[in-house]
Structures are given as C-alpha cells and as structure tokens.
Amino acid sequence: MKKVLVVLLLLATAFTYAQDLPADFLSSEFHKERRDLAREKMPVNSVAIFFANPVRNRANDVDYIYHQDPNFYYLTGYTEPHAVLMIFKDEQDGPDGSYNEIIFIQPRNAMAELWTGRRLGVGGVKEKLAFNQVFNNTEFEGYNIDFSKFDKVLFYDFFNDVRDTRTEGDLFDLIASFKRKAGYPTEGVIDIESKANNLDMETLDQIMKDLRGIKTADELDLLRKAVDISCIAQTEVMKAIKPGMSEREVQGIHEFIFRKYQSEYQGYPSIVGEGHNGCILHYIENYKPQISSDKMILMDLGAEYHGYTADVTRTIPIDGKFSKEEKAIYDLVYKAQEAAIQACKPGVNIGRDLNNAIAKRIINEGLVELGIIDSVTQRHLYYPHGLGHHIGLDVHDKGNYEYLEPNMAITIEPGIYIPEGAQCDKKWWGIAVRIEDDVLITEDGFELLSDLAPRTSDEIEEMMKQPSALDAFVLPDLDKK
Ligand code: GLY
Ligand code: MN
Ligand code: MN
C-alpha cells in the first residue's frame, strides 16, 4: 500500500510538473549539440568530467537557493544538484551497446520531493533531456571505469569545500569516487604543470570558453529577454524614484519588475548606491534608509532569465535633474562609452582598442579639462576597472578576450568614481557614475541590446518627468502604528 502511494505521488508530481513549467527553456537538442561540439574539441582519447554545483548552506536547516553550475547547465539542461556528467571522445563499450556520454543524477524520492521539490529522476532525464545513459548518483561508486586508459582526463580542479550531506551518492561522494578512480592525489593539491599523469585541469576551461563565448540564436533569444527586462526595470525606476526612498526600496522596484516578467533570479547581487556609495564598485549592502534629492544613484542590476543574465547600469539624479557637476561627469562617461560602443566590431580587442585607445583616453582628457587631474598621464583611481566582459550564463561569462567575434555578447561599462577626500575640488566629491550597456557583436559591427533604457543625460531627465503607477502605491507607516 505504501509503495502504491509513493508511486502515485511521484506520478502526480511528474504530471503537474510538465504543466507548470514555462515553455521557452533551451531545448534538449541545444544541450546535446553543445556536448557534441565539446566532444569535437576534446583531445584524442580523452574523457571530460563535469560536476553539478554544490548546495550551499545559509544557516541551520536552510540552504541558499540552488543554482546549477553554468557549464553543467549548458551541457545538460539539468538544474538539480548532486550530479556528474562524463563526455567521452570515443565510443565506450557497455553491456547494452556503445555510448559516448553518461550522466549520474539524484534519484527520485517521494519524501524528499514532498519537502524540497520535484526531481526529474532517471526517467525524466532520459525523456526531457534526451540522454541515453542515465543512472542514479548512488551507482557512480560502482561504475566500472579505468581512467588510466585515457590519454587525458579533463576536469576543473576542486576547491575541497563541498559539504558531506551524508546522503549516499551526494556531490561529496561523487567527487571522492572520481578522485579515487582517477588517481587524484589524496594529499595537497595536484601539480598542474606535471605531465606525469593524465589528469588535465587546463584544457577544459579553454574548450568551454570557445563554446560559451559565441552565442547561438537560441541563447540570444533568452539573453535579449533578460536585457529587455532589466532595461524596462531601469526605466520604471526612473519614473518612480523619489527622494526619501531607501536604496533597498529602489532595488525592490527593479527586482519586482524582474519577477513580473518571470525572471527567476538576479544574475548577481543588485548594486544600488546613492552618492559616494556608488564609488564602491560592487556595493551590495543597499542599506541607506533615505536617498537624498541632491545626489545621484548608481544602479547596476541584471535580470537572469532561464539562466542568461543581463548586466545594465544606469546612474540618475534622484530629483530628476543633473547638477552642473553631475552632468559634466555623466556626459564625459557617456562620451567615452558611446565612442567605445561605436567601435565594437569583429577583430578588435576590448582592453587595447576599446578601453586604452578610446574610453580611457577620452576619460583622461575630460578629467584634465575639468581640472580633476593635471595631465592625461597622471595615475589615478577615478576609473579603476576594465571596460567590459562577456555576458551569458554567468554575468562575467566564459569567453575569449583576444579579439571580438560575431555573436559575442559583451558589456561596455566605463565609469568615473570620485570619493570623499579625493585630491580634487570638493565640489566633485561623492560623484560616482557608471553607464553599462550590453552589446552583441555582429558580422560587421554591433547591435546595442540594452537600447530600451534611456542613456543620455537628456533622455534620462525626460523619462524622470513621467508619472509612475507606483506613485499611488502607498503603504501603512509602521512607525505611526
Ligand atoms: N555587475 C557587475 C559588473 O558590472 O561587472
Ligand atoms: Mn559588468
Ligand atoms: Mn554591472
């Protein structure tokens, strides 16, 4: 009887699961094609091993929301933990015929699913993710494989920070089994320069950079959606923001709009910094209780949609009007950004051609003109970061940086940050501006993906005059209860 109930529970969850899922995820054909392309790039007589991301504990019996490792997701579409994927360069002989890939996943378990959610299980992975060789993770320990027969065993090195959940077949056990089977040293870390064994922790990353750095049409559909959502959120905040709101409330408006459009997560912790808080490049406390009418606010937020994350920054005057100094700095950052965007095309290098020769040069010349630095060669920290990076499944996505190529998706994000006490006239202190846009490299140039969010100082001021539906959204004042 108990068995019947468990089977019924599993069947019921499988049925409702299919009905509840959005229909626009990447297809199993996409993931399969990515595995085939990875295999093509693998060296002769090699095997590649990928592990799912670990579950991280937040406190006591509450874990952080699980997020799959982007490489693992890219190659499988599997979003659950405690799994290992192996891709073989050549066909392997098995009892039921040959195979060139195999995945071990967490088993179905009615009680666990009652508490923490549905699992695909072996049947679901075969059917939905189009794998042939699928086993429960508890079977990995007994899986008979001789790693010494391969010229190369490709994997990412471990940081030894995976927690033992004391469940048979969990990630802790999978890694331990792999290390034992592959002859990974039990003491210390492996000498990656040593060619004395077949363990290779370098090649795989280059393969994944080559693949993930160039987006397919299906990936771009999702990325465009993430970017559009993020831009609409920036635009709505321009209408809704008021002096006296908290940084957290501004963050909340962005993230509410992300959710309205079914974005599952933030692609990275949201950065919302008023005034000099914007000088902290990755300021994520967002704690200031009341933002001030005489300051700007720097807002760097990206919606993640079905795995793909935008990365869009807007810096706006809280009262809707840039002061003379704010506008001078803002327009200078814009000028540098716009020139760099216009120069985006295949063959150029982000660091040398777009940043050093264009964005940094324009910023330095402008800072001299404004009297903030003395000469264009003066060393300073007003623009302390790079110009851009790949975006995709990671906000700082895998990809190559030597030359831009068609279908690379990158950010262009210059900034100027003048902290309190800087060696310049104090009228500039506390001004922090970053403008960050998402750009797709095309065959002969670029497409600006983030064009839904106003970007020039005039466009921003115009948008900020618009009313917001949130103007009428008034909640009880808890202090007056
Ligand atoms: N949001 C992080 C970055 O701009 O790189
Ligand atoms: Mn960025
Ligand atoms: Mn950013």
Side-chain angles (χ1 to χ4, degrees), residues 268 300 311 313 388-389 391 395-396 411 413 434 436:
Y268 50 92
D300 181 344
D311 188 6
T313 307
H389 52 83
I391 49 172
V395 61
H396 299 149
T411 65
E413 51 174 309
R434 176 160 67 252
E436 177 170 27

Side-chain angles (χ1 to χ4, degrees), residues 268-375:
Y268 50 92
S270 300
I271 299 164
V272 179
E274 179 240 52
H276 68 100
N277 286 340
C279 293
I280 301 166
L281 302 177
H282 288 172
Y283 170 79
I284 58 172
E285 288 94 344
N286 306 345
Y287 251 133
K288 181 138 193 189
Q290 291 196 315
I291 56 174
S292 169
S293 59
D294 61 350
K295 299 266 170 55
M296 289 191 293
I297 190 163
L298 186 157
M299 307 176 296
D300 181 344
L301 304 96
E304 181 177 312
Y305 187 81
H306 295 4
Y308 287 79
T309 184
D311 188 6
V312 178
T313 307
R314 289 293 181 266
T315 309
I316 63 174
I318 288 161
D319 66 355
K321 185 98 191 108
F322 289 95
S323 73
K324 192 166 150 236
E325 284 76 25
E326 288 168 353
K327 185 166 163 56
I329 299 296
Y330 188 92
D331 288 348
L332 176 55
V333 176
Y334 176 84
K335 185 178 171 192
Q337 192 210 25
E338 178 60 11
I341 290 174
Q342 292 300 329
C344 282
K345 62 177 181 187
V348 305
N349 174 283
I350 299 181
R352 290 190 300 272
D353 303 324
L354 299 182
N355 198 22
N356 295 348
I358 298 178
K360 237 188 216 173
R361 178 182 54 74
I362 290 173
I363 284 177
N364 283 340
E365 287 169 2
L367 290 175
V368 171
E369 227 167 89
L370 295 171
I372 294 171
I373 58 173
D374 296 329
S375 79

Side-chain angles (χ1 to χ4, degrees), residues 29-40:
E29 290 81 25
F30 168 88
H31 299 293
K32 168 94 181 97
E33 185 196 36
R34 300 290 102 189
R35 294 195 295 279
D36 289 342
L37 288 170
R39 184 177 297 107
E40 268 174 32

Side-chain angles (χ1 to χ4, degrees), residues 29-205:
E29 290 81 25
F30 168 88
H31 299 293
K32 168 94 181 97
E33 185 196 36
R34 300 290 102 189
R35 294 195 295 279
D36 289 342
L37 288 170
R39 184 177 297 107
E40 268 174 32
K41 290 177 182 291
M42 284 164 53
V44 290
N45 190 29
S46 62
V47 54
I49 294 97
F50 295 86
F51 291 91
N53 248 356
V55 175
R56 295 283 181 209
N57 183 254
R58 183 169 181 267
N60 191 19
D61 57 354
V62 176
D63 293 328
Y64 284 103
I65 294 173
Y66 186 69
H67 193 286
Q68 187 55 280
D69 171 74
N71 282 332
F72 203 90
Y73 181 70
Y74 185 81
L75 294 168
T76 66
Y78 189 65
T79 54
E80 299 174 31
H82 305 301
V84 57
L85 165 73
M86 284 196 269
I87 301 177
F88 300 94
K89 179 76 178 178
D90 307 303
E91 291 289 317
Q92 307 295 301
D93 290 329
D96 311 318
S98 72
Y99 60 97
N100 60 13
E101 54 196 23
I102 184 167
I103 188 167
F104 294 83
I105 51 111
Q106 65 174 357
R108 296 211 65 184
N109 176 321
M111 277 315 278
E113 291 180 53
L114 179 65
W115 285 94
T116 56
R118 297 142 177 157
R119 299 179 177 186
L120 276 180
V122 169
V125 171
K126 284 187 177 168
E127 186 201 323
K128 302 231 160 23
L129 302 181
F131 275 91
N132 291 321
Q133 296 286 315
V134 188
F135 298 93
N136 284 328
N137 54 18
T138 45
E139 296 178 69
F140 184 64
E141 172 69 20
Y143 172 61
N144 194 7
I145 180 168
D146 175 9
F147 281 109
S148 70
K149 74 177 187 184
F150 298 100
D151 290 347
K152 294 271 182 210
V153 177
L154 315 175
F155 60 103
Y156 282 88
D157 202 3
F158 308 99
F159 294 104
N160 294 328
D161 63 348
V162 174
R163 192 169 167 153
D164 186 356
T165 66
R166 312 227 169 111
T167 307
E168 188 195 348
D170 68 4
L171 186 68
F172 187 88
D173 292 348
L174 294 174
I175 290 174
S177 282
F178 167 70
K179 285 181 170 176
R180 199 165 42 250
K181 290 169 194 280
Y184 187 98
T186 48
E187 293 290 322
V189 286
I190 196 161
D191 174 8
I192 59 167
E193 299 301 324
S194 160
K195 304 286 179 227
N197 55 47
N198 61 358
L199 303 184
D200 177 331
M201 283 155 288
E202 289 177 328
T203 306
L204 206 47
D205 197 45

